[in-house]
Amino acid sequence: MPILETQDLTYVYGTGTPFEKTAVDHMSLQIEEGELVGVIGHTGSGKSTLVQQLNGLLRPTSGKVLLKGKDIWAEPKKIRAIRFQVGMVFQYPEHQLFEETVEKDIAFGPKNMGLSEGEIKERVKMAAAFAGLKEDLLQASPFEISGGEKRRAAIAMDPEVLILDEPTAGLDPRGRDVLLSQIVNYHRQKHNTVLLVSHSMEDIARIADRVLVIDNGKVAMFEKTRKVFSQGARLAEMGLRVPQITRIMTTLKEKGYPVSSGVLTV
Ligand code: ADP
């Protein structure tokens, strides 16, 4: 069974107004447990609207989101709990952190598992260490810590599905590298499912198993990373490009140089 599935998922903004916009248009897709999925698409293609429905921040206009086979809106009162199973790191991660201290935020998951106070404290410590979050920050308010620390705190919350929406936006190159490595490590060690929404084809090529390409609210492609980036012309029609290195190698090959095609990273 896929860990996450959408069935005919549709989201319309401003229904019945002159600004009516179908941002997500009958999307049906399945994400398997433990996959690292890259999500790409031109600005305005519907990426954010899609992922915000996956953790219940937006309620679908029609269609369904199933988490481990269950409709997440089956009991609307329990939707907040879904947000801890399907965690989301935004460009502005403050939207993900709810409690008055970082520690309480990270403790939410373990608490729901019915662990003792001592066990919870231990888990929180381990999770923080794993995410590279300094222990003295645990008593800080999620609003006092830096952008990079907020992203780490969201990773420390250890959701079953972690969605990162442009997580490297606004970070310097070093900060980007550190965060990307952290995401890869997190994925390798926990085998959790990760969705990475990014404008950086380089980042996606480096770490994704499969790539979901969204065009005008619809699923345009959902295939292995190498397969997606071997379709440069089709991506270009959607205003997308392949990683620079892929383009260079393809051009060299076209000019007759004996290089391999399908190269994704430097
Ligand atoms: P992406 O994340 O790929 O840039 P979005 O999901 O943000 O795309 O947007 C998809 C479409 O929905 C765009 O046409 C955008 O203008 C529209 N849209 C997004 N948010 C709103 C909103 N709050 N109200 C009205 N239209 C919106």
Side-chain angles (χ1 to χ4, degrees), residues 54-95:
L54 298 181
N55 81 335
L57 276 178
L58 289 180
R59 190 169 182 166
T61 306
S62 63
K64 278 182 190 164
V65 175
L66 308 182
L67 179 64
K68 293 190 275 189
K70 282 202 196 126
D71 182 351
I72 63 169
W73 285 99
E75 290 174 84
K77 280 190 190 134
K78 293 193 176 159
I79 201 68
R80 192 164 176 264
I82 299 291
R83 288 176 205 157
F84 289 88
Q85 286 174 279
V86 181
M88 176 115 66
V89 183
F90 286 104
Q91 298 172 30
Y92 304 102
E94 35 280 272
H95 296 300

Side-chain angles (χ1 to χ4, degrees), residues 11 13-14 19 21-24 41-50 52 165 197 199 214:
Y11 194 90
Y13 287 107
F19 307 105
K21 168 82 197 172
T22 302
V24 168
H42 198 266
T43 302
S45 59
K47 303 180 295 297
S48 293
T49 308
L50 168 68
Q52 287 181 70
D165 193 353
V197 181
H199 278 109
I214 298 178

Side-chain angles (χ1 to χ4, degrees), residues 18-56:
F19 307 105
E20 185 169 309
K21 168 82 197 172
T22 302
V24 168
D25 196 357
H26 295 89
M27 274 195 203
S28 295
L29 51 95
Q30 301 189 332
I31 292 162
E32 301 302 326
E33 186 162 4
E35 271 194 297
L36 202 165
V37 173
V39 182
I40 62 175
H42 198 266
T43 302
S45 59
K47 303 180 295 297
S48 293
T49 308
L50 168 68
V51 297
Q52 287 181 70
Q53 291 173 92
L54 298 181
N55 81 335

